[in-house]
Amino acid sequence: MIWERFSELPRVKFNFEKNPHNNLRKKFQNTTSFMGLPVLSVAGLGMLNNLITYDPKKRITADAALNHEWFCEVPLPKSKEFMLTFPAQHAQDRCV
């Protein structure tokens, strides 16, 4: 129902269960972060839904995803300089 003409694709040998929508909202409705905030806001839920849309014609583009309102919510994304770095695992395994 959510991906028209899916069954017409080459090599399709099964059909998905007929669901008009997903249950992501239920998965995240009672979850909170360690700060007591919702783990996923309404905008975050919209972003997630846009990313996992089956039909590629309806799925969000990379440019649209980067400009999604979710990235404007607090806490704001940090620049790369503020990200923690760790040594590569293979470097830790070597004997000196």
Side-chain angles (χ1 to χ4, degrees):
M1 291 175 68
I2 55 178
W3 186 351
E4 296 173 17
R5 302 176 67 188
F6 168 78
S7 60
E8 297 172 20
L9 292 172
R11 297 190 185 104
V12 169
K13 295 181 181 178
F14 64 92
N15 287 319
F16 289 109
E17 184 178 321
K18 302 235 181 229
N19 286 317
H21 60 278
N22 63 43
N23 294 316
L24 283 176
R25 186 172 303 281
K26 282 184 184 178
K27 292 279 185 192
F28 291 98
Q29 70 184 0
N30 294 320
T31 56
T32 56
S33 71
F34 66 93
M35 295 173 57
L37 300 171
V39 171
L40 196 62
S41 66
V42 173
L45 184 62
M47 173 70 154
L48 185 56
N49 273 313
N50 287 333
L51 289 169
I52 64 170
T53 297
Y54 288 126
D55 189 343
K57 292 179 183 173
K58 295 178 182 174
R59 195 176 309 136
I60 194 169
T61 65
D63 285 335
L66 290 171
N67 292 308
H68 194 275
E69 65 182 309
W70 181 63
F71 288 113
C72 296
E73 288 185 352
V74 174
L76 295 173
K78 299 293 181 197
S79 66
K80 197 173 181 179
E81 296 85 47
F82 291 103
M83 297 294 172
L84 296 174
T85 58
F86 300 94
Q89 184 63 40
H90 70 278
Q92 293 176 359
D93 294 338
R94 276 192 257 152
C95 295
V96 183

